Amino acid sequence: MREELKKTGPFESLEQEAMLGILRTSDLLENRLARLLRKYGLTPSQYNAMRIMRGEGVPMPCLEVADRMIQVSPAITRVVDQLLNRELIHKQQSSEDRRVYLVGLTEEGLALVCKLDEPIQDLHRELLGHVSVEDLQSLNRILQIARDQAPE
């Protein structure tokens, strides 16, 4: 990590080195994902929102989509508006609570998310397929511990 960052001195702690390693790796992985999604005219946030809607299977509140996002998106309204403009999702007012808007995939949106399944899995394999199952399980466990202990 020191060589990658061209850092001349040692890290101040193992925690600092780990944190920088996580951030550096996250940036690399996010950039590769964004490059793939750009070919389909999507941002990672748009794809993530669509993936969540597909998983739910029925229209769901916008704020519920925002709560489930991988990265916190304070601009969920903008993401929804962009997807609406492309007719990849539909939006309707809830009959139970008029303050709530429900969103769901259109047929075109569902087709696009399904079309991305294989390229996304191929990217996962390309970027992490060389890591052993045991190491991936350890990594997932360690990252869960870090998330569980991180105050919001």
Side-chain angles (χ1 to χ4, degrees), residues 118 120-130:
E118 190 172 333
I120 293 287
Q121 285 304 314
D122 289 345
L123 182 64
H124 292 169
R125 281 188 290 276
E126 177 187 342
L127 296 175
L128 296 172
H130 59 283

mmCIF file of all heavy atoms in Angstrom, residues 118 120-130:
data_model
loop_
_atom_site.group_PDB
_atom_site.id
_atom_site.type_symbol
_atom_site.label_atom_id
_atom_site.label_comp_id
_atom_site.label_asym_id
_atom_site.label_seq_id
_atom_site.Cartn_x
_atom_site.Cartn_y
_atom_site.Cartn_z
ATOM 1 N N GLU A 118 -25.526 -10.892 -16.364
ATOM 2 C CA GLU A 118 -24.326 -11.628 -16.767
ATOM 3 C C GLU A 118 -23.088 -10.733 -16.807
ATOM 4 O O GLU A 118 -22.039 -11.109 -16.243
ATOM 5 C CB GLU A 118 -24.537 -12.331 -18.111
ATOM 6 C CG GLU A 118 -23.416 -13.295 -18.435
ATOM 7 C CD GLU A 118 -23.710 -14.124 -19.665
ATOM 8 O OE1 GLU A 118 -24.897 -14.362 -19.985
ATOM 9 O OE2 GLU A 118 -22.742 -14.536 -20.302
ATOM 10 N N ILE A 120 -22.449 -8.101 -15.077
ATOM 11 C CA ILE A 120 -22.095 -7.769 -13.695
ATOM 12 C C ILE A 120 -21.404 -8.962 -13.032
ATOM 13 O O ILE A 120 -20.374 -8.815 -12.363
ATOM 14 C CB ILE A 120 -23.347 -7.342 -12.889
ATOM 15 C CG1 ILE A 120 -23.904 -6.018 -13.406
ATOM 16 C CG2 ILE A 120 -23.053 -7.290 -11.388
ATOM 17 C CD1 ILE A 120 -23.110 -4.792 -13.064
ATOM 18 N N GLN A 121 -21.956 -10.165 -13.221
ATOM 19 C CA GLN A 121 -21.318 -11.357 -12.651
ATOM 20 C C GLN A 121 -19.938 -11.591 -13.253
ATOM 21 O O GLN A 121 -19.004 -11.984 -12.549
ATOM 22 C CB GLN A 121 -22.204 -12.593 -12.843
ATOM 23 C CG GLN A 121 -23.388 -12.630 -11.910
ATOM 24 C CD GLN A 121 -22.962 -12.549 -10.457
ATOM 25 O OE1 GLN A 121 -22.045 -13.206 -9.995
ATOM 26 N NE2 GLN A 121 -23.649 -11.684 -9.700
ATOM 27 N N ASP A 122 -19.794 -11.342 -14.551
ATOM 28 C CA ASP A 122 -18.486 -11.471 -15.201
ATOM 29 C C ASP A 122 -17.489 -10.488 -14.580
ATOM 30 O O ASP A 122 -16.327 -10.843 -14.356
ATOM 31 C CB ASP A 122 -18.589 -11.214 -16.708
ATOM 32 C CG ASP A 122 -19.308 -12.326 -17.452
ATOM 33 O OD1 ASP A 122 -19.486 -13.432 -16.892
ATOM 34 O OD2 ASP A 122 -19.707 -12.084 -18.618
ATOM 35 N N LEU A 123 -17.938 -9.271 -14.307
ATOM 36 C CA LEU A 123 -17.066 -8.274 -13.684
ATOM 37 C C LEU A 123 -16.657 -8.716 -12.284
ATOM 38 O O LEU A 123 -15.486 -8.602 -11.904
ATOM 39 C CB LEU A 123 -17.754 -6.904 -13.636
ATOM 40 C CG LEU A 123 -16.930 -5.771 -13.044
ATOM 41 C CD1 LEU A 123 -15.700 -5.480 -13.897
ATOM 42 C CD2 LEU A 123 -17.780 -4.519 -12.884
ATOM 43 N N HIS A 124 -17.610 -9.239 -11.507
ATOM 44 C CA HIS A 124 -17.286 -9.746 -10.173
ATOM 45 C C HIS A 124 -16.196 -10.818 -10.261
ATOM 46 O O HIS A 124 -15.225 -10.800 -9.491
ATOM 47 C CB HIS A 124 -18.519 -10.342 -9.491
ATOM 48 C CG HIS A 124 -19.554 -9.325 -9.137
ATOM 49 N ND1 HIS A 124 -20.811 -9.678 -8.723
ATOM 50 C CD2 HIS A 124 -19.543 -7.970 -9.142
ATOM 51 C CE1 HIS A 124 -21.518 -8.591 -8.482
ATOM 52 N NE2 HIS A 124 -20.773 -7.544 -8.738
ATOM 53 N N ARG A 125 -16.367 -11.745 -11.199
ATOM 54 C CA ARG A 125 -15.385 -12.823 -11.355
ATOM 55 C C ARG A 125 -14.028 -12.273 -11.802
ATOM 56 O O ARG A 125 -12.981 -12.703 -11.328
ATOM 57 C CB ARG A 125 -15.885 -13.873 -12.336
ATOM 58 C CG ARG A 125 -16.889 -14.846 -11.735
ATOM 59 C CD ARG A 125 -17.217 -16.001 -12.679
ATOM 60 N NE ARG A 125 -18.001 -15.570 -13.833
ATOM 61 C CZ ARG A 125 -19.325 -15.427 -13.826
ATOM 62 N NH1 ARG A 125 -20.023 -15.698 -12.740
ATOM 63 N NH2 ARG A 125 -19.970 -15.045 -14.907
ATOM 64 N N GLU A 126 -14.061 -11.307 -12.728
ATOM 65 C CA GLU A 126 -12.810 -10.728 -13.220
ATOM 66 C C GLU A 126 -12.039 -10.032 -12.094
ATOM 67 O O GLU A 126 -10.825 -10.165 -11.978
ATOM 68 C CB GLU A 126 -13.113 -9.717 -14.331
ATOM 69 C CG GLU A 126 -11.887 -9.005 -14.872
ATOM 70 C CD GLU A 126 -12.225 -7.887 -15.842
ATOM 71 O OE1 GLU A 126 -13.354 -7.850 -16.364
ATOM 72 O OE2 GLU A 126 -11.346 -7.039 -16.056
ATOM 73 N N LEU A 127 -12.770 -9.301 -11.260
ATOM 74 C CA LEU A 127 -12.112 -8.507 -10.224
ATOM 75 C C LEU A 127 -11.775 -9.302 -8.963
ATOM 76 O O LEU A 127 -10.797 -8.990 -8.285
ATOM 77 C CB LEU A 127 -12.984 -7.301 -9.859
ATOM 78 C CG LEU A 127 -13.196 -6.289 -10.991
ATOM 79 C CD1 LEU A 127 -14.175 -5.220 -10.557
ATOM 80 C CD2 LEU A 127 -11.872 -5.688 -11.432
ATOM 81 N N LEU A 128 -12.575 -10.325 -8.645
ATOM 82 C CA LEU A 128 -12.371 -11.044 -7.382
ATOM 83 C C LEU A 128 -12.280 -12.558 -7.530
ATOM 84 O O LEU A 128 -12.102 -13.259 -6.535
ATOM 85 C CB LEU A 128 -13.494 -10.691 -6.398
ATOM 86 C CG LEU A 128 -13.538 -9.221 -5.977
ATOM 87 C CD1 LEU A 128 -14.792 -8.931 -5.176
ATOM 88 C CD2 LEU A 128 -12.292 -8.845 -5.207
ATOM 89 N N GLY A 129 -12.385 -13.051 -8.738
ATOM 90 C CA GLY A 129 -12.370 -14.494 -8.955
ATOM 91 C C GLY A 129 -11.058 -15.161 -8.597
ATOM 92 O O GLY A 129 -11.018 -16.362 -8.333
ATOM 93 N N HIS A 130 -9.980 -14.414 -8.547
ATOM 94 C CA HIS A 130 -8.669 -14.963 -8.200
ATOM 95 C C HIS A 130 -8.464 -15.078 -6.691
ATOM 96 O O HIS A 130 -7.480 -15.649 -6.237
ATOM 97 C CB HIS A 130 -7.565 -14.084 -8.803
ATOM 98 C CG HIS A 130 -7.639 -12.668 -8.331
ATOM 99 N ND1 HIS A 130 -8.566 -11.779 -8.840
ATOM 100 C CD2 HIS A 130 -6.947 -11.997 -7.390
ATOM 101 C CE1 HIS A 130 -8.422 -10.618 -8.223
ATOM 102 N NE2 HIS A 130 -7.452 -10.719 -7.345
#
